Amino acid sequence: MLLKKEEEIKGIPVFQKVLETARGGFSLDITGLTKGDILPAGTPMSYDGAIRKAKKANANGSDVKGLLYVPVKIEEDATVSIVTRGTVYEKRITGGVAEAIKSKLPLIIFDDSF
């Protein structure tokens, strides 16, 4: 059996309080993403609970269901957790979050403090 060494990605915490994540973990769908890059915490995400796959949400937010809990390196078999209810430090999210996406996440509070 081969053991895979997990690489911890450090950074400033993005979430002030996490009240709920989508049940179970998800495999990251890397279609359209660059292997080796880092997907930062707070990235808007979509997921399919039936097949346990998650992907980066569309830019317009039409499929957004939550925010990425911790940063993840984009690679085959990467696992992710998605926050569906909680409080996030909005200014700490790389690239920010569009108003169209925020409006589709009513259970997430976007705090202006840093």
Side-chain angles (χ1 to χ4, degrees):
M1 179 169 115
L2 293 173
L3 296 177
K4 181 179 176 186
K5 181 180 178 187
E6 292 295 323
E7 183 178 329
E8 184 178 353
I9 302 167
K10 301 209 184 237
I12 189 167
V14 172
F15 288 92
Q16 181 183 57
K17 183 180 274 190
V18 174
L19 298 172
E20 188 173 359
T21 60
R23 189 165 191 87
F26 297 91
S27 295
L28 179 63
D29 179 352
I30 63 171
T31 305
L33 302 175
T34 305
K35 284 185 182 181
D37 282 356
I38 303 295
L39 204 55
T43 299
M45 300 292 289
S46 178
Y47 62 87
D48 184 336
I51 60 171
R52 310 309 305 161
K53 284 274 195 181
K55 65 178 185 171
K56 186 176 175 183
N58 294 329
N60 65 8
S62 62
D63 61 347
V64 70
K65 292 186 177 180
L67 300 176
L68 185 63
Y69 183 42
V70 295
V72 65
K73 185 175 183 180
I74 300 168
E75 60 188 1
E76 295 290 334
D77 302 323
T79 59
V80 297
S81 292
I82 300 169
V83 176
T84 56
R85 189 165 68 108
T87 303
V88 65
Y89 293 110
E90 183 176 1
K91 292 178 181 176
R92 294 182 183 180
I93 297 175
T94 304
V97 177
E99 289 300 322
I101 292 174
K102 286 195 249 182
S103 68
K104 295 189 177 169
L105 299 171
L107 299 178
I108 295 180
I109 297 168
F110 291 85
D111 188 342
D112 260 352
S113 63
F114 197 83

